[in-house]
Amino acid sequence: GAGVSQTPSNKVTEKGKYVELRCDPISGHTALYWYRQSLGQGPEFLIYFQGTGAADDSGLPNDRFFAVRPEGSVSTLKIQRTERGDSAVYLCASRGPNTEAFFGQGTRLTVV
Amino acid sequence: GQQLNQSPQSMFIQEGEDVSMNCTSSSIFNTWLWYKQDPGEGPVLLIALYKAGELTSNGRLTAQFGITRKDSFLNISASIPSDVGIYFCAGQLTHAGKSTFGDGTTLTVKP
């Protein structure tokens, strides 16, 4: 497709489990961002990739959160030992050289 | 860290009315962005502002980048039912960098 694709669209997991969230950016976009959005709030920055490297990971809340982008395209956000407080919508966005960021539809993560 | 205060938190208006919402920051930004988010979707960019004092329109939408670099407003003229949604402001320090978002203004339009 032409837009940013995120899978799965919904994920329910048990407390303590490991989850992976995937983002397929728009083809040719070198910049990729992950945000987290809690109910009633705006998106909160987690990490930004330029190509394969993390240019800014200052928003990752703790070391249970990790993200990779090994080939400079698809990115995976990984959360270890999930907690109920991790429940949120995880948004991915990508940007080309002369555009602002385009967001995907998000993955709604529920930790029970 | 930087925080954006967005107001009002919610608005209930009649179809055809004009709407104004704004965003203020404790520190400066070099880019201001306005997004709309519908339920179950990601934010969609409405307007981007890159220069202090800049006034930009996109159809019935007009936004301004404040002279102090610490605020921005968005106006919607002649509202229609499809304007319903949550509007977010966002600021960037660097063009390629992260965005800091406000907590949104929820707009309801009564036909």
Side-chain angles (χ1 to χ4, degrees):
Chain A
V4 177
S5 175
Q6 290 189 246
T7 53
S9 54
N10 279 284
K11 175 75 177 175
V12 180
T13 190
E14 291 180 348
K15 179 175 175 296
K17 299 284 191 188
Y18 167 82
V19 295
E20 289 189 351
L21 312 179
R22 176 185 168 110
C23 174
D24 280 84
I26 293 172
S27 177
H29 281 193
T30 56
L32 185 146
Y33 307 79
W34 283 98
Y35 289 83
R36 176 167 71 173
Q37 186 173 24
S38 299
L39 194 62
Q41 297 183 9
E44 180 186 7
F45 172 77
L46 296 176
I47 186 170
Y48 152 48
F49 287 90
Q50 186 59 252
T52 59
D56 183 352
D57 65 358
S58 63
L60 294 177
N62 52 60
D63 61 6
R64 295 187 298 105
F65 289 74
F66 190 70
V68 295
R69 197 185 183 200
E71 297 176 359
S73 178
V74 170
S75 176
T76 305
L77 178 66
K78 308 180 182 202
I79 311 174
Q80 298 178 321
R81 303 184 304 280
T82 51
E83 300 176 356
R84 294 199 177 88
D86 298 336
S87 297
V89 175
Y90 289 81
L91 293 164
C92 175
S94 71
R95 185 163 77 184
N98 297 308
T99 73
E100 291 298 334
F102 290 85
F103 281 83
Q105 289 187 319
T107 293
R108 180 175 297 280
L109 176 66
T110 304
V111 181
V112 297
Chain B
Q2 293 168 312
Q3 286 188 327
L4 294 189
N5 295 309
Q6 194 170 345
S7 64
Q9 196 171 26
S10 60
M11 303 183 76
F12 295 81
I13 61 169
Q14 289 289 142
E15 184 177 356
E17 288 183 350
D18 297 344
V19 169
S20 185
M21 58 190 79
N22 68 77
C23 210
T24 59
S25 170
S26 56
S27 51
I28 67 168
F29 287 106
N30 293 312
T31 298
W32 282 94
L33 306 166
W34 284 93
Y35 290 88
K36 180 174 182 274
Q37 188 174 29
D38 293 326
E41 303 288 332
V44 174
L45 182 68
L46 300 174
I47 292 182
L49 302 156
Y50 302 109
K51 247 172 103 168
E54 180 181 355
L55 184 72
T56 297
S57 292
N58 177 8
R60 294 179 295 106
L61 276 59
T62 302
Q64 184 156 32
F65 189 145
I67 291 288
T68 65
R69 296 179 178 268
K70 292 184 179 182
D71 63 332
S72 178
F73 72 74
L74 175 71
N75 286 342
I76 306 172
S77 63
S79 57
I80 59 179
S82 63
D83 291 335
V84 164
I86 306 177
Y87 292 79
F88 290 99
C89 62
Q92 292 177 345
L93 265 182
T94 61
H95 184 58
K98 64 186 179 186
S99 292
T100 300
F101 282 80
D103 282 338
T105 293
T106 301
L107 179 64
T108 302
V109 180
K110 292 179 267 189

